[in-house]
Amino acid sequence: MAQVKIYGLRRNLEAIRSELSEAIHASIVEALQYPLEKRFHRYILLDELDFLYPADRSERYIILEISMFEGRSVSAKKQLIHLLYKKIMSATGITPQDIEITLFETPKHNWGIRGKPGDELGLSYQVTV
């Protein structure tokens, strides 16, 4: 399981939403060997007064928070981060200076999905990559 929250200024994210989603999803599929049909993206579109960021970032600054089952290797998580920077820049022009990424890993039993705890689900993909 991987769920993505994307925070940024409303006026910027609305214009690049589909390109950004494609870049994020392609990165997750490649790095985590994630199924193509599993896409969970939530956009948090903020107005200028609701999104404060450092002066060394531009108005294109975004924050990605990715929640996922624990079990991925350090190399898979690093590959994901590298791919996100590369694919997002290629698809949207947002530079790595304006992208911050946080990965949150939790045990499967901390998730509730389709009426069951996550550790009771039969997954169609491997988490240990």
Side-chain angles (χ1 to χ4, degrees), residues 6 12-24 43 58 60-62 64 83-96 98-99:
I6 303 115
N12 296 326
L13 286 180
E14 286 178 339
I16 61 166
R17 189 183 322 218
S18 68
E19 295 88 351
L20 184 56
S21 181
E22 289 299 324
I24 292 168
Y43 286 84
S58 81
R60 301 194 76 199
Y61 174 67
I62 60 172
L64 303 179
L83 286 171
L84 286 164
Y85 284 124
K86 178 183 172 188
K87 290 182 184 294
I88 290 171
M89 188 168 72
S90 177
T92 68
I94 299 174
T95 65
D98 279 331
I99 303 168

PDB file of all heavy atoms in Angstrom, residues 6 12-24 43 58 60-62 64 83-96 98-99:
ATOM      1  N   ILE A   6      -0.135  15.338  -1.645  1.00  0.00           N
ATOM      2  CA  ILE A   6       0.641  16.352  -2.362  1.00  0.00           C
ATOM      3  C   ILE A   6       0.150  17.719  -1.897  1.00  0.00           C
ATOM      4  O   ILE A   6      -1.016  18.065  -2.091  1.00  0.00           O
ATOM      5  CB  ILE A   6       0.472  16.221  -3.888  1.00  0.00           C
ATOM      6  CG1 ILE A   6       0.887  14.821  -4.357  1.00  0.00           C
ATOM      7  CG2 ILE A   6       1.276  17.291  -4.619  1.00  0.00           C
ATOM      8  CD1 ILE A   6      -0.231  14.011  -4.919  1.00  0.00           C
ATOM      9  N   ASN A  12      -0.845  26.677  -8.637  1.00  0.00           N
ATOM     10  CA  ASN A  12       0.195  25.928  -9.347  1.00  0.00           C
ATOM     11  C   ASN A  12      -0.198  24.468  -9.550  1.00  0.00           C
ATOM     12  O   ASN A  12      -0.001  23.912 -10.624  1.00  0.00           O
ATOM     13  CB  ASN A  12       1.520  26.009  -8.588  1.00  0.00           C
ATOM     14  CG  ASN A  12       2.035  27.429  -8.527  1.00  0.00           C
ATOM     15  OD1 ASN A  12       1.850  28.205  -9.442  1.00  0.00           O
ATOM     16  ND2 ASN A  12       2.677  27.777  -7.429  1.00  0.00           N
ATOM     17  N   LEU A  13      -0.725  23.834  -8.521  1.00  0.00           N
ATOM     18  CA  LEU A  13      -1.045  22.414  -8.614  1.00  0.00           C
ATOM     19  C   LEU A  13      -2.193  22.133  -9.583  1.00  0.00           C
ATOM     20  O   LEU A  13      -2.186  21.105 -10.266  1.00  0.00           O
ATOM     21  CB  LEU A  13      -1.372  21.837  -7.245  1.00  0.00           C
ATOM     22  CG  LEU A  13      -0.191  21.616  -6.314  1.00  0.00           C
ATOM     23  CD1 LEU A  13      -0.656  21.027  -4.991  1.00  0.00           C
ATOM     24  CD2 LEU A  13       0.850  20.714  -6.949  1.00  0.00           C
ATOM     25  N   GLU A  14      -3.163  23.011  -9.640  1.00  0.00           N
ATOM     26  CA  GLU A  14      -4.291  22.770 -10.546  1.00  0.00           C
ATOM     27  C   GLU A  14      -3.831  22.665 -11.996  1.00  0.00           C
ATOM     28  O   GLU A  14      -4.388  21.895 -12.769  1.00  0.00           O
ATOM     29  CB  GLU A  14      -5.347  23.862 -10.390  1.00  0.00           C
ATOM     30  CG  GLU A  14      -6.148  23.708  -9.106  1.00  0.00           C
ATOM     31  CD  GLU A  14      -7.167  24.790  -8.878  1.00  0.00           C
ATOM     32  OE1 GLU A  14      -7.036  25.896  -9.465  1.00  0.00           O
ATOM     33  OE2 GLU A  14      -8.111  24.541  -8.097  1.00  0.00           O
ATOM     34  N   ALA A  15      -2.803  23.402 -12.355  1.00  0.00           N
ATOM     35  CA  ALA A  15      -2.335  23.417 -13.742  1.00  0.00           C
ATOM     36  C   ALA A  15      -1.510  22.188 -14.118  1.00  0.00           C
ATOM     37  O   ALA A  15      -1.386  21.865 -15.302  1.00  0.00           O
ATOM     38  CB  ALA A  15      -1.508  24.682 -13.994  1.00  0.00           C
ATOM     39  N   ILE A  16      -0.951  21.479 -13.124  1.00  0.00           N
ATOM     40  CA  ILE A  16      -0.043  20.354 -13.426  1.00  0.00           C
ATOM     41  C   ILE A  16      -0.483  19.050 -12.777  1.00  0.00           C
ATOM     42  O   ILE A  16       0.271  18.078 -12.754  1.00  0.00           O
ATOM     43  CB  ILE A  16       1.403  20.684 -12.978  1.00  0.00           C
ATOM     44  CG1 ILE A  16       1.450  20.931 -11.465  1.00  0.00           C
ATOM     45  CG2 ILE A  16       1.981  21.843 -13.766  1.00  0.00           C
ATOM     46  CD1 ILE A  16       2.842  20.921 -10.881  1.00  0.00           C
ATOM     47  N   ARG A  17      -1.691  19.017 -12.288  1.00  0.00           N
ATOM     48  CA  ARG A  17      -2.160  17.869 -11.506  1.00  0.00           C
ATOM     49  C   ARG A  17      -1.952  16.530 -12.218  1.00  0.00           C
ATOM     50  O   ARG A  17      -1.403  15.601 -11.646  1.00  0.00           O
ATOM     51  CB  ARG A  17      -3.623  18.046 -11.142  1.00  0.00           C
ATOM     52  CG  ARG A  17      -4.122  17.036 -10.161  1.00  0.00           C
ATOM     53  CD  ARG A  17      -5.597  17.187  -9.855  1.00  0.00           C
ATOM     54  NE  ARG A  17      -5.999  18.575  -9.796  1.00  0.00           N
ATOM     55  CZ  ARG A  17      -6.872  19.069  -8.954  1.00  0.00           C
ATOM     56  NH1 ARG A  17      -7.460  18.276  -8.099  1.00  0.00           N
ATOM     57  NH2 ARG A  17      -7.191  20.336  -8.956  1.00  0.00           N
ATOM     58  N   SER A  18      -2.377  16.399 -13.449  1.00  0.00           N
ATOM     59  CA  SER A  18      -2.276  15.087 -14.112  1.00  0.00           C
ATOM     60  C   SER A  18      -0.825  14.722 -14.415  1.00  0.00           C
ATOM     61  O   SER A  18      -0.427  13.567 -14.249  1.00  0.00           O
ATOM     62  CB  SER A  18      -3.140  15.032 -15.364  1.00  0.00           C
ATOM     63  OG  SER A  18      -2.653  15.879 -16.358  1.00  0.00           O
ATOM     64  N   GLU A  19       0.001  15.671 -14.844  1.00  0.00           N
ATOM     65  CA  GLU A  19       1.411  15.393 -15.120  1.00  0.00           C
ATOM     66  C   GLU A  19       2.146  14.990 -13.848  1.00  0.00           C
ATOM     67  O   GLU A  19       2.955  14.066 -13.844  1.00  0.00           O
ATOM     68  CB  GLU A  19       2.105  16.605 -15.751  1.00  0.00           C
ATOM     69  CG  GLU A  19       1.589  16.992 -17.107  1.00  0.00           C
ATOM     70  CD  GLU A  19       0.406  17.957 -17.067  1.00  0.00           C
ATOM     71  OE1 GLU A  19      -0.150  18.214 -15.969  1.00  0.00           O
ATOM     72  OE2 GLU A  19       0.019  18.439 -18.143  1.00  0.00           O
ATOM     73  N   LEU A  20       1.841  15.675 -12.760  1.00  0.00           N
ATOM     74  CA  LEU A  20       2.465  15.367 -11.478  1.00  0.00           C
ATOM     75  C   LEU A  20       2.043  13.977 -10.993  1.00  0.00           C
ATOM     76  O   LEU A  20       2.873  13.184 -10.555  1.00  0.00           O
ATOM     77  CB  LEU A  20       2.095  16.444 -10.453  1.00  0.00           C
ATOM     78  CG  LEU A  20       2.714  16.349  -9.076  1.00  0.00           C
ATOM     79  CD1 LEU A  20       4.232  16.311  -9.140  1.00  0.00           C
ATOM     80  CD2 LEU A  20       2.244  17.525  -8.220  1.00  0.00           C
ATOM     81  N   SER A  21       0.762  13.675 -11.118  1.00  0.00           N
ATOM     82  CA  SER A  21       0.269  12.365 -10.704  1.00  0.00           C
ATOM     83  C   SER A  21       0.933  11.246 -11.508  1.00  0.00           C
ATOM     84  O   SER A  21       1.329  10.226 -10.945  1.00  0.00           O
ATOM     85  CB  SER A  21      -1.253  12.300 -10.874  1.00  0.00           C
ATOM     86  OG  SER A  21      -1.747  11.051 -10.461  1.00  0.00           O
ATOM     87  N   GLU A  22       1.079  11.437 -12.806  1.00  0.00           N
ATOM     88  CA  GLU A  22       1.732  10.422 -13.643  1.00  0.00           C
ATOM     89  C   GLU A  22       3.183  10.207 -13.222  1.00  0.00           C
ATOM     90  O   GLU A  22       3.655   9.070 -13.150  1.00  0.00           O
ATOM     91  CB  GLU A  22       1.668  10.813 -15.120  1.00  0.00           C
ATOM     92  CG  GLU A  22       0.298  10.706 -15.733  1.00  0.00           C
ATOM     93  CD  GLU A  22      -0.275   9.296 -15.711  1.00  0.00           C
ATOM     94  OE1 GLU A  22       0.484   8.318 -15.876  1.00  0.00           O
ATOM     95  OE2 GLU A  22      -1.502   9.171 -15.509  1.00  0.00           O
ATOM     96  N   ALA A  23       3.901  11.292 -12.942  1.00  0.00           N
ATOM     97  CA  ALA A  23       5.306  11.188 -12.542  1.00  0.00           C
ATOM     98  C   ALA A  23       5.438  10.473 -11.193  1.00  0.00           C
ATOM     99  O   ALA A  23       6.315   9.611 -11.023  1.00  0.00           O
ATOM    100  CB  ALA A  23       5.939  12.578 -12.470  1.00  0.00           C
ATOM    101  N   ILE A  24       4.572  10.807 -10.261  1.00  0.00           N
ATOM    102  CA  ILE A  24       4.611  10.173  -8.945  1.00  0.00           C
ATOM    103  C   ILE A  24       4.288   8.695  -9.064  1.00  0.00           C
ATOM    104  O   ILE A  24       4.999   7.840  -8.529  1.00  0.00           O
ATOM    105  CB  ILE A  24       3.637  10.884  -7.972  1.00  0.00           C
ATOM    106  CG1 ILE A  24       4.136  12.299  -7.662  1.00  0.00           C
ATOM    107  CG2 ILE A  24       3.453  10.065  -6.694  1.00  0.00           C
ATOM    108  CD1 ILE A  24       3.110  13.172  -6.956  1.00  0.00           C
ATOM    109  N   TYR A  43      -4.623  15.540  -3.312  1.00  0.00           N
ATOM    110  CA  TYR A  43      -4.057  16.873  -3.456  1.00  0.00           C
ATOM    111  C   TYR A  43      -4.602  17.776  -2.364  1.00  0.00           C
ATOM    112  O   TYR A  43      -5.810  17.856  -2.164  1.00  0.00           O
ATOM    113  CB  TYR A  43      -4.399  17.459  -4.826  1.00  0.00           C
ATOM    114  CG  TYR A  43      -3.596  16.820  -5.920  1.00  0.00           C
ATOM    115  CD1 TYR A  43      -3.993  15.623  -6.497  1.00  0.00           C
ATOM    116  CD2 TYR A  43      -2.419  17.395  -6.354  1.00  0.00           C
ATOM    117  CE1 TYR A  43      -3.238  15.012  -7.477  1.00  0.00           C
ATOM    118  CE2 TYR A  43      -1.648  16.799  -7.339  1.00  0.00           C
ATOM    119  CZ  TYR A  43      -2.071  15.607  -7.891  1.00  0.00           C
ATOM    120  OH  TYR A  43      -1.323  15.011  -8.856  1.00  0.00           O
ATOM    121  N   SER A  58      10.597  28.412  -4.300  1.00  0.00           N
ATOM    122  CA  SER A  58       9.760  29.251  -5.160  1.00  0.00           C
ATOM    123  C   SER A  58       8.290  28.946  -4.896  1.00  0.00           C
ATOM    124  O   SER A  58       7.952  28.037  -4.126  1.00  0.00           O
ATOM    125  CB  SER A  58      10.094  29.006  -6.636  1.00  0.00           C
ATOM    126  OG  SER A  58       9.458  27.838  -7.112  1.00  0.00           O
ATOM    127  N   ARG A  60       6.489  27.353  -6.676  1.00  0.00           N
ATOM    128  CA  ARG A  60       6.215  26.005  -7.197  1.00  0.00           C
ATOM    129  C   ARG A  60       6.521  24.914  -6.168  1.00  0.00           C
ATOM    130  O   ARG A  60       6.327  23.733  -6.431  1.00  0.00           O
ATOM    131  CB  ARG A  60       7.035  25.761  -8.459  1.00  0.00           C
ATOM    132  CG  ARG A  60       6.687  26.805  -9.546  1.00  0.00           C
ATOM    133  CD  ARG A  60       7.193  26.441 -10.889  1.00  0.00           C
ATOM    134  NE  ARG A  60       6.311  25.385 -11.416  1.00  0.00           N
ATOM    135  CZ  ARG A  60       6.644  24.577 -12.395  1.00  0.00           C
ATOM    136  NH1 ARG A  60       7.818  24.682 -12.974  1.00  0.00           N
ATOM    137  NH2 ARG A  60       5.815  23.657 -12.830  1.00  0.00           N
ATOM    138  N   TYR A  61       6.978  25.293  -5.007  1.00  0.00           N
ATOM    139  CA  TYR A  61       7.343  24.376  -3.930  1.00  0.00           C
ATOM    140  C   TYR A  61       6.200  23.419  -3.615  1.00  0.00           C
ATOM    141  O   TYR A  61       5.041  23.827  -3.498  1.00  0.00           O
ATOM    142  CB  TYR A  61       7.709  25.204  -2.695  1.00  0.00           C
ATOM    143  CG  TYR A  61       7.971  24.440  -1.438  1.00  0.00           C
ATOM    144  CD1 TYR A  61       9.075  23.605  -1.314  1.00  0.00           C
ATOM    145  CD2 TYR A  61       7.122  24.565  -0.347  1.00  0.00           C
ATOM    146  CE1 TYR A  61       9.325  22.917  -0.130  1.00  0.00           C
ATOM    147  CE2 TYR A  61       7.363  23.890   0.833  1.00  0.00           C
ATOM    148  CZ  TYR A  61       8.460  23.062   0.933  1.00  0.00           C
ATOM    149  OH  TYR A  61       8.698  22.388   2.093  1.00  0.00           O
ATOM    150  N   ILE A  62       6.529  22.132  -3.484  1.00  0.00           N
ATOM    151  CA  ILE A  62       5.548  21.112  -3.119  1.00  0.00           C
ATOM    152  C   ILE A  62       6.125  20.202  -2.036  1.00  0.00           C
ATOM    153  O   ILE A  62       7.346  20.077  -1.904  1.00  0.00           O
ATOM    154  CB  ILE A  62       5.093  20.254  -4.318  1.00  0.00           C
ATOM    155  CG1 ILE A  62       6.271  19.514  -4.952  1.00  0.00           C
ATOM    156  CG2 ILE A  62       4.338  21.094  -5.331  1.00  0.00           C
ATOM    157  CD1 ILE A  62       5.877  18.500  -6.022  1.00  0.00           C
ATOM    158  N   LEU A  64       5.595  16.218  -0.671  1.00  0.00           N
ATOM    159  CA  LEU A  64       4.997  14.901  -0.878  1.00  0.00           C
ATOM    160  C   LEU A  64       5.141  14.109   0.411  1.00  0.00           C
ATOM    161  O   LEU A  64       6.232  14.020   0.968  1.00  0.00           O
ATOM    162  CB  LEU A  64       5.709  14.133  -1.989  1.00  0.00           C
ATOM    163  CG  LEU A  64       5.791  14.774  -3.352  1.00  0.00           C
ATOM    164  CD1 LEU A  64       6.555  13.865  -4.305  1.00  0.00           C
ATOM    165  CD2 LEU A  64       4.426  15.083  -3.892  1.00  0.00           C
ATOM    166  N   LEU A  83      13.915   8.775  -8.148  1.00  0.00           N
ATOM    167  CA  LEU A  83      12.992   8.769  -9.290  1.00  0.00           C
ATOM    168  C   LEU A  83      11.967   9.897  -9.191  1.00  0.00           C
ATOM    169  O   LEU A  83      11.626  10.521 -10.200  1.00  0.00           O
ATOM    170  CB  LEU A  83      12.278   7.423  -9.393  1.00  0.00           C
ATOM    171  CG  LEU A  83      13.100   6.263  -9.916  1.00  0.00           C
ATOM    172  CD1 LEU A  83      12.340   4.949  -9.745  1.00  0.00           C
ATOM    173  CD2 LEU A  83      13.474   6.474 -11.377  1.00  0.00           C
ATOM    174  N   LEU A  84      11.472  10.156  -8.000  1.00  0.00           N
ATOM    175  CA  LEU A  84      10.509  11.246  -7.832  1.00  0.00           C
ATOM    176  C   LEU A  84      11.110  12.576  -8.264  1.00  0.00           C
ATOM    177  O   LEU A  84      10.484  13.333  -9.015  1.00  0.00           O
ATOM    178  CB  LEU A  84      10.023  11.316  -6.382  1.00  0.00           C
ATOM    179  CG  LEU A  84       9.047  10.224  -5.961  1.00  0.00           C
ATOM    180  CD1 LEU A  84       8.939  10.150  -4.449  1.00  0.00           C
ATOM    181  CD2 LEU A  84       7.679  10.439  -6.596  1.00  0.00           C
ATOM    182  N   TYR A  85      12.322  12.868  -7.799  1.00  0.00           N
ATOM    183  CA  TYR A  85      12.959  14.123  -8.212  1.00  0.00           C
ATOM    184  C   TYR A  85      13.119  14.194  -9.732  1.00  0.00           C
ATOM    185  O   TYR A  85      12.790  15.192 -10.359  1.00  0.00           O
ATOM    186  CB  TYR A  85      14.326  14.292  -7.539  1.00  0.00           C
ATOM    187  CG  TYR A  85      14.253  14.690  -6.089  1.00  0.00           C
ATOM    188  CD1 TYR A  85      14.872  13.926  -5.106  1.00  0.00           C
ATOM    189  CD2 TYR A  85      13.587  15.835  -5.685  1.00  0.00           C
ATOM    190  CE1 TYR A  85      14.816  14.294  -3.767  1.00  0.00           C
ATOM    191  CE2 TYR A  85      13.522  16.209  -4.356  1.00  0.00           C
ATOM    192  CZ  TYR A  85      14.142  15.434  -3.410  1.00  0.00           C
ATOM    193  OH  TYR A  85      14.075  15.803  -2.089  1.00  0.00           O
ATOM    194  N   LYS A  86      13.609  13.118 -10.314  1.00  0.00           N
ATOM    195  CA  LYS A  86      13.867  13.087 -11.754  1.00  0.00           C
ATOM    196  C   LYS A  86      12.576  13.189 -12.569  1.00  0.00           C
ATOM    197  O   LYS A  86      12.465  14.030 -13.478  1.00  0.00           O
ATOM    198  CB  LYS A  86      14.605  11.792 -12.090  1.00  0.00           C
ATOM    199  CG  LYS A  86      14.891  11.599 -13.554  1.00  0.00           C
ATOM    200  CD  LYS A  86      15.570  10.256 -13.787  1.00  0.00           C
ATOM    201  CE  LYS A  86      15.686   9.954 -15.265  1.00  0.00           C
ATOM    202  NZ  LYS A  86      16.162   8.594 -15.499  1.00  0.00           N
ATOM    203  N   LYS A  87      11.599  12.364 -12.262  1.00  0.00           N
ATOM    204  CA  LYS A  87      10.379  12.307 -13.067  1.00  0.00           C
ATOM    205  C   LYS A  87       9.501  13.542 -12.875  1.00  0.00           C
ATOM    206  O   LYS A  87       8.874  14.016 -13.823  1.00  0.00           O
ATOM    207  CB  LYS A  87       9.600  11.025 -12.774  1.00  0.00           C
ATOM    208  CG  LYS A  87      10.299   9.776 -13.295  1.00  0.00           C
ATOM    209  CD  LYS A  87       9.476   8.525 -13.024  1.00  0.00           C
ATOM    210  CE  LYS A  87      10.181   7.261 -13.444  1.00  0.00           C
ATOM    211  NZ  LYS A  87      10.383   7.128 -14.872  1.00  0.00           N
ATOM    212  N   ILE A  88       9.454  14.069 -11.666  1.00  0.00           N
ATOM    213  CA  ILE A  88       8.661  15.286 -11.435  1.00  0.00           C
ATOM    214  C   ILE A  88       9.273  16.463 -12.179  1.00  0.00           C
ATOM    215  O   ILE A  88       8.568  17.234 -12.825  1.00  0.00           O
ATOM    216  CB  ILE A  88       8.511  15.580  -9.927  1.00  0.00           C
ATOM    217  CG1 ILE A  88       7.602  14.533  -9.282  1.00  0.00           C
ATOM    218  CG2 ILE A  88       7.968  16.989  -9.696  1.00  0.00           C
ATOM    219  CD1 ILE A  88       7.549  14.593  -7.772  1.00  0.00           C
ATOM    220  N   MET A  89      10.592  16.592 -12.125  1.00  0.00           N
ATOM    221  CA  MET A  89      11.232  17.690 -12.846  1.00  0.00           C
ATOM    222  C   MET A  89      10.996  17.566 -14.345  1.00  0.00           C
ATOM    223  O   MET A  89      10.669  18.534 -15.023  1.00  0.00           O
ATOM    224  CB  MET A  89      12.725  17.771 -12.546  1.00  0.00           C
ATOM    225  CG  MET A  89      13.355  19.034 -13.148  1.00  0.00           C
ATOM    226  SD  MET A  89      15.025  19.383 -12.566  1.00  0.00           S
ATOM    227  CE  MET A  89      15.936  18.106 -13.380  1.00  0.00           C
ATOM    228  N   SER A  90      11.139  16.346 -14.865  1.00  0.00           N
ATOM    229  CA  SER A  90      10.943  16.122 -16.296  1.00  0.00           C
ATOM    230  C   SER A  90       9.505  16.418 -16.724  1.00  0.00           C
ATOM    231  O   SER A  90       9.274  17.009 -17.772  1.00  0.00           O
ATOM    232  CB  SER A  90      11.311  14.676 -16.634  1.00  0.00           C
ATOM    233  OG  SER A  90      11.061  14.400 -17.981  1.00  0.00           O
ATOM    234  N   ALA A  91       8.543  16.027 -15.916  1.00  0.00           N
ATOM    235  CA  ALA A  91       7.131  16.176 -16.288  1.00  0.00           C
ATOM    236  C   ALA A  91       6.569  17.567 -16.049  1.00  0.00           C
ATOM    237  O   ALA A  91       5.662  18.004 -16.760  1.00  0.00           O
ATOM    238  CB  ALA A  91       6.292  15.158 -15.519  1.00  0.00           C
ATOM    239  N   THR A  92       7.099  18.262 -15.028  1.00  0.00           N
ATOM    240  CA  THR A  92       6.472  19.531 -14.618  1.00  0.00           C
ATOM    241  C   THR A  92       7.417  20.726 -14.615  1.00  0.00           C
ATOM    242  O   THR A  92       6.955  21.855 -14.516  1.00  0.00           O
ATOM    243  CB  THR A  92       5.889  19.413 -13.193  1.00  0.00           C
ATOM    244  OG1 THR A  92       6.967  19.282 -12.264  1.00  0.00           O
ATOM    245  CG2 THR A  92       4.927  18.244 -13.077  1.00  0.00           C
ATOM    246  N   GLY A  93       8.719  20.470 -14.645  1.00  0.00           N
ATOM    247  CA  GLY A  93       9.687  21.559 -14.539  1.00  0.00           C
ATOM    248  C   GLY A  93       9.977  21.984 -13.114  1.00  0.00           C
ATOM    249  O   GLY A  93      10.790  22.877 -12.876  1.00  0.00           O
ATOM    250  N   ILE A  94       9.337  21.351 -12.129  1.00  0.00           N
ATOM    251  CA  ILE A  94       9.621  21.674 -10.725  1.00  0.00           C
ATOM    252  C   ILE A  94      10.994  21.107 -10.383  1.00  0.00           C
ATOM    253  O   ILE A  94      11.238  19.916 -10.554  1.00  0.00           O
ATOM    254  CB  ILE A  94       8.554  21.106  -9.775  1.00  0.00           C
ATOM    255  CG1 ILE A  94       7.181  21.697 -10.099  1.00  0.00           C
ATOM    256  CG2 ILE A  94       8.927  21.404  -8.315  1.00  0.00           C
ATOM    257  CD1 ILE A  94       6.050  21.070  -9.293  1.00  0.00           C
ATOM    258  N   THR A  95      11.892  21.952  -9.908  1.00  0.00           N
ATOM    259  CA  THR A  95      13.253  21.527  -9.618  1.00  0.00           C
ATOM    260  C   THR A  95      13.328  20.834  -8.249  1.00  0.00           C
ATOM    261  O   THR A  95      12.467  21.056  -7.385  1.00  0.00           O
ATOM    262  CB  THR A  95      14.215  22.722  -9.615  1.00  0.00           C
ATOM    263  OG1 THR A  95      13.865  23.592  -8.535  1.00  0.00           O
ATOM    264  CG2 THR A  95      14.166  23.487 -10.934  1.00  0.00           C
ATOM    265  N   PRO A  96      14.360  20.024  -8.033  1.00  0.00           N
ATOM    266  CA  PRO A  96      14.523  19.369  -6.726  1.00  0.00           C
ATOM    267  C   PRO A  96      14.550  20.349  -5.547  1.00  0.00           C
ATOM    268  O   PRO A  96      14.134  19.990  -4.447  1.00  0.00           O
ATOM    269  CB  PRO A  96      15.851  18.626  -6.873  1.00  0.00           C
ATOM    270  CG  PRO A  96      15.911  18.300  -8.330  1.00  0.00           C
ATOM    271  CD  PRO A  96      15.338  19.526  -9.004  1.00  0.00           C
ATOM    272  N   ASP A  98      12.600  22.636  -5.045  1.00  0.00           N
ATOM    273  CA  ASP A  98      11.210  22.925  -4.698  1.00  0.00           C
ATOM    274  C   ASP A  98      10.382  21.678  -4.400  1.00  0.00           C
ATOM    275  O   ASP A  98       9.155  21.719  -4.436  1.00  0.00           O
ATOM    276  CB  ASP A  98      10.549  23.721  -5.823  1.00  0.00           C
ATOM    277  CG  ASP A  98      10.879  25.195  -5.772  1.00  0.00           C
ATOM    278  OD1 ASP A  98      11.115  25.715  -4.669  1.00  0.00           O
ATOM    279  OD2 ASP A  98      10.907  25.834  -6.839  1.00  0.00           O
ATOM    280  N   ILE A  99      11.049  20.566  -4.119  1.00  0.00           N
ATOM    281  CA  ILE A  99      10.339  19.323  -3.802  1.00  0.00           C
ATOM    282  C   ILE A  99      10.881  18.766  -2.489  1.00  0.00           C
ATOM    283  O   ILE A  99      12.086  18.581  -2.347  1.00  0.00           O
ATOM    284  CB  ILE A  99      10.543  18.261  -4.909  1.00  0.00           C
ATOM    285  CG1 ILE A  99      10.085  18.778  -6.270  1.00  0.00           C
ATOM    286  CG2 ILE A  99       9.806  16.966  -4.542  1.00  0.00           C
ATOM    287  CD1 ILE A  99      10.524  17.899  -7.437  1.00  0.00           C
TER     288      ILE A  99
END
